Amino acid sequence: MGAIYAISGKGTGNNNNEQQQKSNRIKAKESFQEAVKYRPSLGSAWVNLALLLLAEGKDMGNPSNSAINPLTTVNDLLKEARQCCERALGMDNEDERSRALANRLIGDINAMMRQSK
């Protein structure tokens, strides 16, 4: 029963789950940054890194999120995520799902950047 409460956030407070998610996201981002450092031709890692950057931008509106550099703007994260997708598309990437997701993300990022102007 305790596991159900921990998973759903009951009994421990929602803030604890938010902190765990934030911690997991930071670890994932670091892992994908390391993956592209050692295997820059791994398109799926670039796409996953783009997704994490977009999630980071989404969290910028949350004042309790101390993991984000205060000098970074949402536009900076959008540009970086777009570059990650472009890298994934610019290589010989045989994973069609990664290519399709990268193309879709670029379209979404372009729309968000137009809206922010």
Side-chain angles (χ1 to χ4, degrees):
M1 192 66 143
I4 293 171
Y5 282 101
I7 291 170
S8 66
K10 296 177 183 172
T12 59
N14 239 0
N15 198 21
N16 194 24
N17 279 342
E18 287 177 18
Q19 290 293 348
Q20 185 61 46
Q21 286 178 343
K22 194 183 314 181
S23 174
N24 289 344
R25 198 174 289 157
I26 291 167
K27 289 176 188 173
K29 183 179 172 189
E30 290 169 352
S31 295
F32 282 112
Q33 286 172 328
E34 192 161 333
V36 298
K37 177 181 173 185
Y38 291 107
R39 296 216 28 222
S41 63
L42 190 60
S44 59
W46 285 107
V47 172
N48 282 304
L49 186 54
L51 288 169
L52 288 163
L53 289 164
L54 292 172
E56 191 173 326
K58 180 182 172 191
D59 286 347
M60 288 187 92
N62 182 353
S64 68
N65 196 341
S66 60
I68 298 173
N69 180 345
L71 300 177
T72 302
T73 67
V74 172
N75 260 356
D76 293 337
L77 292 171
L78 288 172
K79 288 176 186 175
E80 191 175 349
R82 190 178 198 294
Q83 289 172 345
C84 288
C85 291
E86 289 170 347
R87 295 256 340 230
L89 292 172
M91 57 190 63
D92 186 24
N93 184 1
E94 294 179 11
D95 184 5
E96 275 306 309
R97 290 181 302 173
S98 291
R99 292 185 67 75
L101 183 54
N103 276 315
R104 192 170 79 220
L105 286 174
I106 287 174
D108 292 346
I109 291 166
N110 289 342
M112 286 184 269
M113 291 178 85
R114 279 192 302 270
Q115 288 177 354
S116 70
K117 290 183 179 182

